[in-house]
């Protein structure tokens, strides 16, 4: 349905593997490369792999992955399609049309160097975010692809966290600016009504900043955990009270399920509140006015 599924003969793959194993300079050079690196034949099958890839896959030698396609080696969820469940479909399914890895390989086979990003959905339900580079290599009349992949999951995660942080900060700051304008132009009676709102928005702003500090500390590996025994019902009530009058919950309701169980567990209370708080805010934002978010535990 996209790239050709045909494969090279086993003898041709073995010959290519033997050829690249004789290229000592190539092996030494790519042994020092931190990225995953392979050489692919015209059928997009692996004929050489560096130690970084072999170590990541738990394989000992190139022979353990020779003949596989990159998606098969990485256990892509779409690499074993079809009723048989046998390999051969990596790059050839409808899903592969949007795969940056396959498209970069095809560009290289057409003689063009290409760099793309791709997310590979793995068979175990997880995913890999990769930046891939492919460039053509010609050895006589044979065409190959030099293919490298770098894990950019960290970059993607940080980008998402920063986007969420600025979104929340701007929302809260915008609310404060609105209230500040009302305080500036309102009557003394109206000003009194906005005091609690100002305090709530200010606390929310500080909370968002502290949350970002926590995330950055976690990203740097500097987060200090402070585990303690937590009562689930008490925790739910605390979270409910915190977000009962939150600006995202205006016109919406929060309640604790009457059947919520009391469970004692050990964790970092501040981090658990942060996670539950984000879940509650997401739920409130997804609600229509008048609807209720219910918290429970079991």
């Amino acid at each position: 349905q996209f790239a050709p599924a045909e494969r090279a003969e086993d003898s041709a793959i073995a010959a290519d593997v033997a050829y690249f194993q004789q290229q000592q300079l190539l092996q030494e050079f790519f042994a020092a490369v931190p990225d995953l690196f392979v050489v692919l034949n015209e059928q997009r099958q692996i004929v050489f792999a560096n130690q970084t890839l072999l170590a990541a896959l738990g394989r000992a030698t190139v022979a353990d992955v020779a003949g596989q396609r990159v998606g098969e080696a990485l256990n892509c969820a779409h690499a074993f399609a079809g009723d048989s469940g046998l390999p051969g479909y990596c790059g050839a399914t409808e899903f592969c049309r949007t795969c940056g890895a396959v498209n970069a390989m095809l560009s290289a086979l057409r003689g063009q160097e290409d760099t793309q990003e791709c997310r590979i959905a793995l068979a175990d339900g997880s995913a890999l975010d990769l930046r891939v580079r492919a460039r053509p290599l010609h050895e006589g009349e044979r065409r190959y692809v030099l293919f490298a992949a770098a894990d950019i999951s960290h970059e993607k995660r940080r980008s998402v966290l920063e986007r969420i942080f600025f979104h929340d900060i701007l929302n809260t700051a915008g609310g404060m600016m609105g209230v500040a304008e009302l305080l500036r132009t309102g009557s003394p009676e109206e000003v009194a009504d906005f005091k609690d709102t100002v305090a709530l928005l200010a606390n929310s702003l500080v909370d968002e900043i502290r949350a970002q500090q926590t995330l950055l500390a976690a990203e740097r590996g500097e987060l200090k955990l402070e585990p303690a025994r937590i009562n689930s019902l008490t925790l739910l009530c605390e979270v409910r009270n915190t977000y009962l009058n939150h600006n995202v919950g205006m016109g919406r309701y929060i309640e604790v399920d009457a059947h919520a169980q009391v469970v004692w567990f050990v964790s970092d209370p501040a981090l658990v509140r942060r996670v539950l708080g984000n879940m509650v805010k997401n739920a409130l934002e997804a609600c229509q006015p008048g609807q209720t978010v219910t918290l429970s535990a079991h």
Side-chain angles (χ1 to χ4, degrees):
Q1 294 176 300
F2 186 50
E6 288 76 17
R7 291 172 173 263
E9 296 288 339
D10 290 343
S11 58
I13 294 173
D16 282 337
V17 171
Y19 172 77
F20 284 105
Q21 282 182 332
Q22 297 171 3
Q23 308 303 312
Q24 190 64 32
L25 182 60
L26 177 76
Q27 295 198 43
E28 291 182 3
F29 179 80
F30 286 108
V33 173
D35 293 347
L36 309 178
F37 176 82
V38 294
V39 177
L40 308 172
N41 64 9
E42 292 185 58
Q43 291 76 30
R44 310 183 314 283
Q45 293 171 269
I46 297 172
V47 294
F48 174 82
N50 69 347
Q51 288 300 315
T52 304
L53 176 69
L54 295 177
L57 299 177
R59 308 296 175 83
T61 66
V62 175
D64 295 326
V65 296
Q68 295 184 11
R69 291 189 169 128
V70 172
E72 295 160 5
L74 297 178
N75 205 25
C76 172
H78 305 298
F80 303 91
D83 296 334
S84 65
L86 296 174
Y89 291 89
C90 176
T93 74
E94 184 67 26
F95 297 97
C96 303
R97 291 182 181 276
T98 57
C99 176
V102 178
N103 280 286
M105 294 173 195
L106 295 178
S107 293
L109 287 171
R110 291 192 295 267
Q112 301 171 341
E113 185 174 351
D114 197 2
T115 298
Q116 298 203 29
E117 292 184 3
C118 69
R119 162 165 279 224
I120 297 180
L122 303 183
D124 63 4
S126 60
L128 288 174
D129 286 303
L130 303 174
R131 180 177 293 114
V132 299
R133 296 180 176 87
R135 63 178 302 165
L137 172 67
H138 295 276
E139 289 291 313
E141 296 184 357
R142 297 282 292 168
R143 293 186 303 165
Y144 299 95
V145 174
L146 302 177
F147 181 86
D151 185 354
I152 58 171
S153 301
H154 177 78
E155 294 178 26
K156 291 289 187 181
R157 184 173 62 252
R158 173 160 290 191
S159 176
V160 169
L161 294 177
E162 289 178 351
R163 187 163 61 249
I164 292 172
F165 170 66
F166 286 116
H167 172 268
D168 292 345
I169 282 287
L170 288 172
N171 279 349
T172 305
M176 292 185 70
M177 290 176 65
V179 174
E181 180 64 20
L182 292 172
L183 290 174
R184 189 175 66 85
T185 60
S187 65
E189 294 78 13
E190 292 174 321
V191 167
D193 294 335
F194 293 127
K195 288 181 179 179
D196 291 340
T197 304
V198 171
L200 180 66
L201 289 170
N203 287 332
S204 296
L205 192 61
V206 172
D207 187 60
E208 297 292 352
I209 293 172
R210 286 176 175 167
Q212 183 68 4
Q213 288 178 321
T214 300
L215 290 170
L216 291 176
E219 287 289 307
R220 294 192 299 265
E222 299 173 357
L223 183 63
K224 299 294 188 295
L225 300 180
E226 298 181 6
R229 278 173 53 81
I230 301 173
N231 180 306
S232 63
L233 190 57
T234 301
L235 175 66
L236 293 181
C237 291
E238 290 175 351
V239 172
R240 174 189 179 274
N241 293 337
T242 298
Y243 291 93
L244 193 60
N245 296 311
H246 196 280
N247 59 309
V248 300
M250 296 301 180
R252 297 157 179 83
Y253 305 97
I254 309 175
E255 66 179 28
V256 175
D257 188 349
H259 301 291
Q261 298 178 9
V262 174
V263 182
W264 286 94
F265 64 100
V266 175
S267 187
D268 186 308
L271 295 182
V272 173
R273 287 192 195 95
R274 182 93 55 214
V275 171
L276 288 178
N278 284 336
M279 293 169 67
V280 169
K281 285 193 291 184
N282 288 342
L284 289 169
E285 289 176 346
C287 281
Q288 298 298 321
Q291 290 186 319
T292 300
V293 171
T294 304
L295 311 183
S296 189
H298 63 273

